[in-house]
């Protein structure tokens, strides 16, 4: 997306990382039918954000564009509790989320660490 003369969305390389990490499936329901929305867990705020973490893989997930994404946006308190939304002063890669039914952390390099896998 453009805000004035600057891009506010992720680069093509970051989009590729997220699509590969999420396996072209919804991070919430595991649906494969698409279309998909690239969802910012920590919202960009009006006009985009200059914070580099905003468009990193740890802040982005694929969601079903017609069902899961609108549901998350319409039920923000639940989404915050599930980690699908993150507060403006939090680092998304440090905030666990419910990822296809399992608690996980998403790194900015495109990896998933399930919490039950950590010592």
């Amino acid at each position: 997306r453009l805000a004035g003369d600057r891009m506010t969305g992720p680069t093509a390389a970051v989009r590729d990382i997220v699509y590969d990490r999420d396996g072209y499936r919804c991070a919430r329901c595991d649906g494969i039918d698409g279309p998909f929305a690239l969802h910012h867990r920590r919202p960009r705020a009006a006009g985009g954000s200059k914070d580099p973490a905003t468009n990193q893989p740890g802040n982005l997930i694929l969601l079903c564009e017609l069902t899961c994404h609108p549901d998350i946006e319409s039920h923000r308190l639940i989404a915050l509790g599930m980690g699908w939304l993150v507060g403006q002063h939090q680092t998304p890669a440090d905030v666990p989320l419910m990822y296809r039914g399992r608690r996980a952390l998403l790194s900015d390099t495109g990896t998933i660490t399930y919490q039950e896998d950590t010592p």
Side-chain angles (χ1 to χ4, degrees):
R1 291 188 177 177
L2 289 174
D5 290 333
R6 65 184 171 90
M7 281 294 287
T8 62
T11 65
V14 168
R15 283 193 303 273
D16 288 346
I17 289 169
V18 174
Y19 272 85
D20 287 345
R21 179 200 64 210
D22 292 351
Y24 291 79
R25 300 181 345 235
C26 179
R28 181 177 177 226
C29 77
D30 205 22
I32 61 172
D33 292 329
F36 297 106
L38 199 57
H39 170 72
H40 287 82
R41 296 174 58 209
R42 185 179 67 205
R44 291 178 295 172
S49 173
K50 293 181 182 178
D51 184 340
T54 298
N55 290 306
Q56 293 301 308
N59 192 42
L60 299 165
I61 55 176
L62 288 183
L63 295 173
C64 298
E65 185 174 7
L66 303 177
T67 54
C68 291
H69 194 239
D71 195 47
I72 284 172
E73 295 295 343
S74 297
H75 300 95
R76 296 179 78 77
L77 287 178
I78 293 169
L80 282 164
M82 300 299 264
W84 299 319
L85 286 175
V86 175
Q88 285 294 333
H89 299 290
Q90 294 178 292
T91 302
D94 295 339
V95 178
L97 75 154
M98 189 59 66
Y99 186 87
R100 299 182 182 140
R102 296 171 68 191
R103 234 2 171 197
L105 289 170
L106 305 178
S107 78
D108 285 338
T109 61
T111 61
I112 303 168
T113 303
Y114 294 100
Q115 294 211 302
E116 63 268 18
D117 294 343
T118 56

